[in-house]
């Protein structure tokens, strides 16, 4: 988490303590919202950090993608690789992608330049709409030639993208939850207090039992 805050410039913005609390709270909230695990989320964000930070994605946005992917059984390495490659190639091949998905290429390119998140969501929304006409597998396999040019296994990339497209509403909701958790930066502290109170309660019970035993033994 400390490395992530440094790569994305959050540490410089908020300071070490508050930056780690913000990211830690985001991870905690997302792992409570679904079946995504905390180690997966942190590893996914680490793998995405280089390209993600250059593209302008924020840590909460990346963690939200990771939460949906892990909750739906996608491997962390392939998921991160697929999204990184799509980000890298979406702008360069926007005419190809746009034509296949029925998008306005200029609008897609403009959106990507303004916000990588909005560009990715536009891409996934279009993939979702296309899949409703056929199926998620067929829709993603239409893009197979472009995936092949990226040097990726089309079938495996299709799994990652179809998962995000199929659960696009969940992706958007998790992004909202992640942004809120990051801003409030309170979930990690609350989690600590719960564990701390539980531990203190156990200690108090143990002390009481020792006193009872002392009385019984005279």
């Amino acid at each position: 988490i400390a490395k992530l805050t440094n790569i994305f410039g959050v540490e410089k913005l908020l300071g070490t303590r508050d930056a780690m609390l913000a990211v830690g709270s985001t991870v905690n909230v997302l792992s409570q919202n679904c079946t995504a695990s905390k180690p997966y989320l942190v590893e996914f964000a680490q793998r995405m950090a280089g390209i993600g930070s250059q593209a302008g994605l924020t840590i909460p946005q990346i963690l939200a993608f990771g939460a949906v992917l892990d909750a739906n059984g996608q491997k962390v390495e392939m998921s991160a690789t697929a999204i990184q490659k799509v980000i890298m190639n979406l702008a360069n091949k926007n005419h190809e992608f746009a034509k296949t998905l029925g998008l306005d290429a200029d609008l897609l390119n403009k959106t990507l330049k303004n916000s990588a998140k909005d560009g990715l969501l536009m891409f996934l929304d279009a993939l979702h709409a296309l899949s409703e006409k056929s199926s998620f597998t067929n829709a993603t396999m239409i893009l197979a030639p472009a995936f092949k040019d990226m040097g990726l296994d089309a079938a495996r990339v299709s799994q990652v993208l179809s998962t995000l497209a199929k659960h696009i509403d969940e992706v958007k909701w998790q992004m909202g939850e992640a942004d809120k958790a990051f801003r409030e930066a309170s979930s990690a502290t609350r989690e600590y207090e719960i564990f701390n109170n539980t531990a203190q309660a156990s200690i108090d019970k143990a002390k009481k039992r020792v006193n009872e035993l002392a009385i019984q033994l005279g």
Side-chain angles (χ1 to χ4, degrees):
I1 288 177
K3 288 177 182 177
L4 286 173
T5 63
N6 186 35
I7 293 170
F8 284 85
V10 182
E11 183 180 16
K12 192 176 291 184
L13 204 64
L14 301 177
T16 303
R17 175 184 174 277
D18 289 344
M20 290 185 70
L21 281 174
V23 177
S25 294
T26 307
V27 170
N28 196 50
V29 166
L30 291 177
S31 68
Q32 291 174 348
N33 283 347
C34 61
T35 56
S37 71
K38 293 173 185 177
Y40 182 106
L41 294 175
V42 175
E43 183 179 351
F44 180 80
Q46 286 178 323
R47 289 177 179 275
M48 286 288 298
I51 297 298
S53 60
Q54 290 176 27
L57 289 172
T58 65
I59 295 178
Q61 290 165 3
I62 290 173
L63 289 171
F65 278 120
V68 174
L69 289 165
D70 188 26
N72 289 281
Q74 297 304 307
K75 301 292 185 182
V76 64
E77 183 178 359
M78 186 58 213
S79 294
T81 300
I83 296 177
Q84 286 183 81
K85 292 287 187 178
V86 169
I87 291 172
M88 291 167 61
N89 288 273
L90 202 52
N92 299 330
K93 298 177 179 290
N94 62 62
H95 285 279
E96 185 178 339
F97 281 120
K99 183 179 179 182
T100 305
L101 296 173
L103 287 170
D104 183 321
D106 292 333
L107 178 60
L108 176 61
N109 190 39
K110 184 179 179 181
T111 304
L112 280 166
K113 286 182 177 179
N114 290 333
S115 168
K117 179 205 79 171
D118 290 342
L120 273 172
L121 290 179
M122 179 184 287
F123 172 80
L124 293 171
D125 273 323
L127 192 56
H128 179 84
L130 183 64
S131 67
E132 290 185 331
K133 298 176 183 177
S134 53
S135 71
F136 283 100
T137 302
N138 291 339
T140 49
M141 289 309 290
I142 289 172
L143 296 169
F147 297 152
K148 190 174 182 181
D149 289 344
M150 295 178 199
L152 293 173
D153 181 335
R156 295 174 72 188
V157 177
S158 294
Q159 288 179 7
V160 174
L161 294 181
S162 62
T163 296
L164 293 175
K166 187 176 183 179
H167 300 279
I168 187 65
D169 289 337
E170 185 183 348
V171 171
K172 293 175 182 177
W173 178 73
Q174 291 283 32
M175 281 189 176
E177 291 290 293
D179 284 336
K180 181 181 178 184
F182 187 85
R183 288 195 309 271
E184 294 178 353
S186 58
S187 179
T189 304
R190 287 198 302 270
E191 186 84 354
Y192 166 77
E193 288 171 351
I194 291 170
F195 278 109
N196 193 44
N197 291 338
T198 302
Q200 188 59 50
S202 298
I203 291 170
D204 291 340
K205 286 180 182 178
K207 285 181 178 178
K208 184 179 179 182
R209 182 61 183 148
V210 168
N211 290 332
E212 289 173 348
L213 286 171
I215 292 169
Q216 290 173 11
L217 294 171

